[in-house]
Amino acid sequence: KAQENVVTFAPPAAAATPQIFGGTDYPQWQVAIGYQFNGIHLLPQGGTTTGRFHTSGFNVSAVRYFNDWFGAEAQIGFGFGNTGHGTAPPNLSAKSLFIGGGPHIAFRNSSRWEPWGHGIFGLLHFRFTQTGTLGGNSTLGWLAGGGVDYHLNDHLAIRGEGDYLGTRFFGVNHRNYQIVGGVVLNF
């Protein structure tokens, strides 16, 4: 008896990939890069706005998660600006660098929204064009705040972040803020 050759067509099996939305396999790493805007208040004098200026720049952070919600974060931020009439002498070019690390806590679930908070401790350095009083100065600084990531897919998200930036220059505590917007890669 003749043997019949039967050919069947079936769709290929889908490759197994981690699923953030509806799954439990969360990526262990996040790397974020974005635009940074800082409100700086370095030299209060008699309650006036002296010493207030803004910097713009970029921010990079990396988080290594140890479980579904807790991780360690490293962050570096660069800022560039002009002091305007807020310093004496006025109109100084200002550059800032913040490097730090600390805990990162996230509420990761099956939603596309991922709220999170962090506390970062590190070193803040300012460099001004004038070399007298301001010149180059470094101090310990800290960020406390958080944000939310909106996941476009399992590996890409958009981030919004707001932080309180605490510093101490010239023997005085300073209250500053930082706003960051950017993209997040999960892997």
Side-chain angles (χ1 to χ4, degrees):
K1 185 174 185 179
Q3 207 173 26
E4 291 183 27
N5 289 333
V6 178
V7 178
T8 60
F9 294 96
T17 58
Q19 297 291 317
I20 292 176
F21 314 115
T24 57
D25 294 331
Y26 297 104
Q28 291 182 331
W29 288 92
Q30 282 186 340
V31 175
I33 186 165
Y35 168 76
Q36 168 183 298
F37 179 83
N38 286 7
I40 306 296
H41 186 200
L42 286 186
L43 304 169
Q45 294 178 354
T48 68
T49 60
T50 302
R52 291 182 191 258
F53 61 96
H54 298 99
T55 62
S56 292
F58 58 95
N59 185 288
V60 178
S61 69
V63 178
R64 166 59 163 98
Y65 283 98
F66 300 106
N67 57 31
D68 289 350
W69 60 274
F70 179 77
E73 179 177 353
Q75 187 174 116
I76 185 167
F78 301 92
F80 309 91
N82 187 293
T83 63
H85 295 290
T87 57
N91 295 317
L92 300 177
S93 174
K95 298 175 184 171
S96 67
L97 169 67
F98 177 82
I99 299 173
H104 183 101
I105 298 172
F107 180 66
R108 300 166 103 187
N109 59 27
S110 61
S111 169
R112 289 187 179 271
W113 297 96
E114 181 182 316
W116 55 269
H118 65 179
I120 307 293
F121 302 92
L123 180 69
L124 179 63
H125 177 76
F126 271 99
R127 182 78 188 146
F128 297 91
T129 53
Q130 182 256 2
T131 59
T133 305
L134 297 178
N137 290 282
S138 298
T139 187
L140 294 177
W142 55 275
L143 294 169
V148 65
D149 297 346
Y150 178 76
H151 290 272
L152 302 173
N153 59 42
D154 289 344
H155 302 287
L156 183 65
I158 298 171
R159 172 169 288 181
E161 173 183 343
D163 297 303
Y164 177 93
L165 172 59
T167 60
R168 184 172 175 83
F169 281 104
F170 312 111
V172 178
N173 292 327
H174 304 282
R175 297 181 304 268
N176 312 296
Y177 64 88
Q178 172 174 282
I179 299 169
V180 178
V183 296
V184 181
L185 301 173
N186 295 283
F187 55 97

